[in-house]
Amino acid sequence: MISEEIQRIHEALPSGVRLVAVSKYHPSEAIREAYAAGQRVFGESHAQELQRKHQELANLGLEWHFIGHLQTNKVKYIAPYVHLIHAVDSLHLLSEINKQALKSGRIIPCLLQLHVAQEETKFGFTPDEARLFLEEGVWRTMKGVEIAGIMAMATNTDNTFRIREDFHQARRFFEEARKDFFQESNHFRELSMGMSDDWHIAVDEGSTLIRIGTQIFGQRQY
Ligand SMILES: *Cc1c(COP(=O)(O)O)cnc(C)c1O
Protein backbone atom coordinates (compact mmCIF):
# COMPACT_ATOMS: atom_id res chain seq x y z
CA MET A 1 0.00 0.00 0.00
CA ILE A 2 1.37 3.36 -1.07
CA SER A 3 0.08 5.26 1.95
CA GLU A 4 1.47 2.71 4.42
CA GLU A 5 4.91 2.77 2.85
CA ILE A 6 4.93 6.57 2.86
CA GLN A 7 4.03 6.60 6.54
CA ARG A 8 6.55 3.93 7.40
CA ILE A 9 9.35 5.86 5.73
CA HIS A 10 8.34 9.22 7.21
CA GLU A 11 8.35 7.68 10.68
CA ALA A 12 11.81 6.20 10.19
CA LEU A 13 13.43 9.42 8.97
CA PRO A 14 15.41 11.57 11.38
CA SER A 15 14.52 15.26 11.31
CA GLY A 16 16.39 17.04 8.55
CA VAL A 17 16.04 14.16 6.10
CA ARG A 18 13.35 14.50 3.45
CA LEU A 19 11.71 11.92 1.24
CA VAL A 20 11.52 12.35 -2.53
CA ALA A 21 8.87 9.92 -3.76
CA VAL A 22 10.11 8.72 -7.15
CA SER A 23 6.98 8.40 -9.28
CA LYS A 24 8.56 7.82 -12.69
CA TYR A 25 6.60 5.36 -14.86
CA HIS A 26 3.74 5.40 -12.37
CA PRO A 27 0.41 7.04 -13.16
CA SER A 28 -0.86 10.29 -11.68
CA GLU A 29 -3.35 8.24 -9.66
CA ALA A 30 -0.47 6.75 -7.67
CA ILE A 31 0.83 10.24 -6.99
CA ARG A 32 -2.59 11.32 -5.73
CA GLU A 33 -2.56 8.38 -3.35
CA ALA A 34 0.83 9.38 -1.99
CA TYR A 35 -0.39 12.95 -1.73
CA ALA A 36 -3.33 11.81 0.36
CA ALA A 37 -0.82 10.21 2.74
CA GLY A 38 0.91 13.57 3.17
CA GLN A 39 3.69 13.32 0.57
CA ARG A 40 4.45 16.58 -1.25
CA VAL A 41 7.87 16.04 -2.88
CA PHE A 42 8.03 13.90 -6.03
CA GLY A 43 10.88 12.88 -8.29
CA GLU A 44 10.75 12.21 -12.03
CA SER A 45 13.49 11.40 -14.50
CA HIS A 46 11.94 12.11 -17.90
CA ALA A 47 11.18 15.68 -18.86
CA GLN A 48 8.06 15.00 -20.92
CA GLU A 49 6.59 12.67 -18.32
CA LEU A 50 7.21 15.28 -15.65
CA GLN A 51 5.68 17.94 -17.87
CA ARG A 52 2.51 15.90 -18.31
CA LYS A 53 2.15 15.08 -14.60
CA HIS A 54 2.90 18.65 -13.62
CA GLN A 55 -0.05 19.72 -15.77
CA GLU A 56 -2.36 16.92 -14.64
CA LEU A 57 -1.68 17.58 -10.97
CA ALA A 58 -1.23 21.35 -11.08
CA ASN A 59 -3.91 21.93 -8.44
CA LEU A 60 -2.00 19.95 -5.79
CA GLY A 61 0.95 22.36 -5.61
CA LEU A 62 3.55 19.57 -5.54
CA GLU A 63 7.30 20.07 -5.23
CA TRP A 64 8.81 18.45 -8.34
CA HIS A 65 12.39 17.25 -8.39
CA PHE A 66 14.18 16.11 -11.53
CA ILE A 67 16.34 13.19 -10.41
CA GLY A 68 17.81 11.44 -13.45
CA HIS A 69 20.10 12.27 -16.32
CA LEU A 70 18.84 15.49 -17.91
CA GLN A 71 19.42 16.16 -21.58
CA THR A 72 20.26 19.73 -22.41
CA ASN A 73 17.49 20.04 -24.97
CA LYS A 74 14.87 19.04 -22.37
CA VAL A 75 15.69 21.68 -19.79
CA LYS A 76 13.25 24.17 -21.27
CA TYR A 77 10.28 21.92 -20.51
CA ILE A 78 10.86 21.85 -16.79
CA ALA A 79 12.66 25.14 -16.04
CA PRO A 80 9.50 27.15 -15.29
CA TYR A 81 8.54 25.05 -12.26
CA VAL A 82 11.13 22.43 -11.27
CA HIS A 83 12.10 22.78 -7.63
CA LEU A 84 15.47 20.99 -7.61
CA ILE A 85 17.58 19.33 -10.32
CA HIS A 86 19.52 16.48 -8.70
CA ALA A 87 22.00 15.31 -11.29
CA VAL A 88 24.00 18.07 -12.97
CA ASP A 89 27.07 16.46 -14.49
CA SER A 90 28.53 19.09 -16.82
CA LEU A 91 29.10 22.79 -17.19
CA HIS A 92 27.24 22.57 -20.48
CA LEU A 93 24.08 21.35 -18.72
CA LEU A 94 24.39 23.89 -15.93
CA SER A 95 24.72 26.70 -18.52
CA GLU A 96 21.52 25.62 -20.21
CA ILE A 97 19.67 25.42 -16.89
CA ASN A 98 20.95 28.91 -16.12
CA LYS A 99 19.74 30.23 -19.46
CA GLN A 100 16.28 28.70 -19.14
CA ALA A 101 15.98 29.76 -15.50
CA LEU A 102 16.72 33.37 -16.41
CA LYS A 103 14.11 33.20 -19.18
CA SER A 104 11.58 32.15 -16.54
CA GLY A 105 12.81 34.76 -14.08
CA ARG A 106 13.89 32.03 -11.67
CA ILE A 107 16.87 30.75 -9.72
CA ILE A 108 16.93 26.95 -9.98
CA PRO A 109 18.71 24.99 -7.23
CA CYS A 110 20.92 22.21 -8.65
CA LEU A 111 22.97 19.40 -7.17
CA LEU A 112 26.22 18.19 -8.67
CA GLN A 113 26.20 14.48 -9.40
CA LEU A 114 29.26 12.87 -7.90
CA HIS A 115 30.43 9.58 -9.34
CA VAL A 116 31.49 7.39 -6.41
CA ALA A 117 30.20 3.96 -7.44
CA GLN A 118 32.61 1.19 -8.42
CA GLU A 119 31.15 0.80 -11.85
CA GLU A 120 31.40 2.26 -15.30
CA THR A 121 28.82 4.90 -16.03
CA LYS A 122 29.11 7.95 -18.14
CA PHE A 123 27.32 10.17 -15.65
CA GLY A 124 28.64 12.26 -12.81
CA PHE A 125 31.82 14.11 -11.92
CA THR A 126 34.59 12.17 -10.23
CA PRO A 127 35.62 13.90 -6.99
CA ASP A 128 38.65 15.39 -8.78
CA GLU A 129 36.53 16.69 -11.63
CA ALA A 130 33.97 18.11 -9.25
CA ARG A 131 36.65 19.91 -7.28
CA LEU A 132 38.12 21.37 -10.48
CA PHE A 133 34.66 22.44 -11.60
CA LEU A 134 34.14 24.27 -8.31
CA GLU A 135 37.60 25.83 -8.42
CA GLU A 136 37.21 27.13 -11.96
CA GLY A 137 34.22 29.03 -10.69
CA VAL A 138 32.27 29.68 -13.90
CA TRP A 139 29.18 28.63 -11.92
CA ARG A 140 29.60 31.72 -9.76
CA THR A 141 28.78 33.92 -12.75
CA MET A 142 25.46 32.15 -13.41
CA LYS A 143 22.67 34.08 -11.77
CA GLY A 144 19.89 31.64 -12.66
CA VAL A 145 21.28 28.64 -10.80
CA GLU A 146 22.34 27.89 -7.27
CA ILE A 147 24.56 24.93 -6.40
CA ALA A 148 22.60 23.44 -3.53
CA GLY A 149 24.65 20.33 -2.78
CA ILE A 150 25.69 16.91 -3.98
CA MET A 151 23.87 13.87 -5.35
CA ALA A 152 25.37 10.39 -5.48
CA MET A 153 24.47 6.79 -6.17
CA ALA A 154 26.19 3.83 -4.54
CA THR A 155 27.48 0.79 -6.38
CA ASN A 156 24.67 -1.55 -7.37
CA THR A 157 25.68 -4.46 -5.13
CA ASP A 158 24.55 -6.52 -2.13
CA ASN A 159 27.80 -5.70 -0.39
CA THR A 160 26.67 -3.24 2.27
CA PHE A 161 30.25 -2.44 3.18
CA ARG A 162 30.84 -1.23 -0.40
CA ILE A 163 27.63 0.82 -0.36
CA ARG A 164 28.57 2.45 2.94
CA GLU A 165 32.01 3.33 1.59
CA ASP A 166 30.49 4.98 -1.48
CA PHE A 167 28.07 7.07 0.56
CA HIS A 168 30.83 7.92 3.00
CA GLN A 169 32.98 9.21 0.17
CA ALA A 170 30.13 11.38 -1.09
CA ARG A 171 29.57 12.75 2.40
CA ARG A 172 33.25 13.56 2.77
CA PHE A 173 33.30 15.40 -0.53
CA PHE A 174 30.14 17.28 0.44
CA GLU A 175 31.69 18.46 3.73
CA GLU A 176 34.94 19.51 2.06
CA ALA A 177 33.19 21.37 -0.73
CA ARG A 178 30.99 23.18 1.76
CA LYS A 179 34.05 24.28 3.71
CA ASP A 180 36.16 25.22 0.68
CA PHE A 181 33.63 26.83 -1.64
CA PHE A 182 30.40 27.67 0.13
CA GLN A 183 31.31 29.09 3.49
CA GLU A 184 29.59 32.38 2.80
CA SER A 185 26.39 30.79 1.48
CA ASN A 186 23.74 28.72 3.18
CA HIS A 187 22.40 27.28 -0.08
CA PHE A 188 24.84 24.39 -0.19
CA ARG A 189 23.15 21.99 2.20
CA GLU A 190 21.61 19.01 0.41
CA LEU A 191 23.17 15.58 0.14
CA SER A 192 20.89 13.49 -2.06
CA MET A 193 21.60 9.79 -1.64
CA GLY A 194 19.71 6.61 -0.88
CA MET A 195 17.18 4.59 -2.92
CA SER A 196 14.79 1.75 -2.06
CA ASP A 197 17.50 -0.80 -1.35
CA ASP A 198 20.09 1.35 0.40
CA TRP A 199 18.45 4.36 2.02
CA HIS A 200 18.98 3.17 5.59
CA ILE A 201 22.72 3.20 4.99
CA ALA A 202 22.52 6.56 3.19
CA VAL A 203 20.68 8.14 6.12
CA ASP A 204 23.31 6.73 8.48
CA GLU A 205 25.96 8.37 6.34
CA GLY A 206 24.37 11.80 6.40
CA SER A 207 21.88 11.97 3.53
CA THR A 208 19.39 14.86 3.61
CA LEU A 209 17.24 13.70 0.67
CA ILE A 210 16.38 10.09 -0.08
CA ARG A 211 14.89 9.17 -3.46
CA ILE A 212 12.54 6.20 -3.17
CA GLY A 213 10.46 4.68 -5.93
CA THR A 214 9.98 0.91 -5.85
CA GLN A 215 9.46 0.62 -2.09
CA ILE A 216 6.55 3.07 -2.30
CA PHE A 217 4.96 2.44 -5.68
CA GLY A 218 6.01 -1.13 -6.46
CA GLN A 219 7.60 -2.25 -9.71
CA ARG A 220 7.59 0.39 -12.39
CA GLN A 221 5.05 0.03 -15.20
CA TYR A 222 6.81 0.42 -18.49
C1 LIG B 1 14.63 5.52 -10.36
C2 LIG B 1 15.55 6.28 -9.51
C3 LIG B 1 15.47 6.21 -8.09
C4 LIG B 1 14.49 5.31 -7.36
O1 LIG B 1 14.94 4.01 -7.37
P1 LIG B 1 14.18 2.84 -6.54
O2 LIG B 1 15.16 1.75 -6.49
O3 LIG B 1 12.96 2.51 -7.34
O4 LIG B 1 13.84 3.39 -5.21
C5 LIG B 1 16.34 7.01 -7.36
N1 LIG B 1 17.24 7.80 -7.96
C6 LIG B 1 17.36 7.89 -9.30
C7 LIG B 1 18.38 8.79 -9.89
C8 LIG B 1 16.53 7.13 -10.12
O5 LIG B 1 16.66 7.21 -11.44
Side-chain angles (χ1 to χ4, degrees):
M1 276 285 292
I2 291 174
S3 60
E4 284 166 15
E5 287 302 332
I6 296 269
Q7 270 168 19
R8 211 196 309 273
I9 296 166
H10 277 279
E11 278 162 22
L13 288 184
S15 70
V17 186
R18 292 192 303 149
L19 167 64
V20 180
V22 176
S23 46
K24 65 187 185 198
Y25 300 116
H26 291 283
S28 292
E29 258 332 289
I31 296 175
R32 287 185 197 280
E33 223 176 302
Y35 178 86
Q39 182 64 25
R40 297 293 179 268
V41 184
F42 292 87
E44 291 280 339
S45 60
H46 290 92
Q48 275 109 334
E49 185 180 353
L50 171 51
Q51 177 70 355
R52 177 173 56 75
K53 289 174 178 171
H54 168 69
Q55 283 166 1
E56 283 174 9
L57 302 166
N59 59 331
L60 300 186
L62 303 178
E63 182 178 318
W64 290 109
H65 291 202
F66 196 89
I67 60 165
H69 178 66
L70 178 56
Q71 287 173 276
T72 312
N73 62 354
K74 302 289 169 59
V75 174
K76 57 178 178 285
Y77 298 117
I78 64 171
Y81 55 87
V82 70
H83 196 87
L84 178 65
I85 296 178
H86 282 236
V88 172
D89 60 359
S90 72
L91 182 60
H92 181 59
L93 176 57
L94 194 67
S95 305
E96 177 63 15
I97 297 170
N98 181 52
K99 182 174 134 193
Q100 297 298 336
L102 292 173
K103 258 192 202 169
S104 301
R106 302 191 62 214
I107 297 174
I108 300 180
C110 295
L111 308 181
L112 298 182
Q113 182 175 5
L114 194 70
H115 178 67
V116 292
Q118 304 285 95
E119 57 206 3
E120 289 299 314
T121 131
K122 40 190 195 308
F123 303 128
F125 294 100
T126 64
D128 284 348
E129 288 166 349
R131 174 164 286 280
L132 200 62
F133 174 87
L134 290 170
E135 277 168 8
E136 283 173 348
V138 182
W139 57 275
R140 291 186 196 273
T141 66
M142 298 178 175
K143 302 306 176 201
V145 292
E146 202 165 79
I147 309 273
I150 296 295
M151 178 271 204
M153 283 189 268
T155 309
N156 186 8
T157 172
D158 291 335
N159 180 346
T160 57
F161 179 78
R162 179 72 259 155
I163 293 169
R164 190 175 287 278
E165 279 295 299
D166 292 347
F167 286 146
H168 195 73
Q169 193 188 351
R171 163 72 177 276
R172 222 164 36 225
F173 183 87
F174 171 71
E175 301 282 354
E176 282 172 21
R178 190 165 55 181
K179 176 165 69 61
D180 295 346
F181 301 100
F182 297 95
Q183 261 188 10
E184 73 293 355
S185 107
N186 55 0
H187 305 310
F188 192 84
R189 58 195 149 133
E190 301 288 4
L191 182 55
S192 166
M193 54 188 200
M195 308 175 26
S196 290
D197 290 335
D198 58 19
W199 65 268
H200 289 95
I201 305 175
V203 168
D204 250 15
E205 293 297 330
S207 174
T208 66
L209 284 173
I210 57 171
R211 311 177 308 269
I212 303 194
T214 312
Q215 184 184 339
I216 296 169
F217 297 109
Q219 291 302 317
R220 288 182 267 278
Q221 298 153 30
Y222 293 94

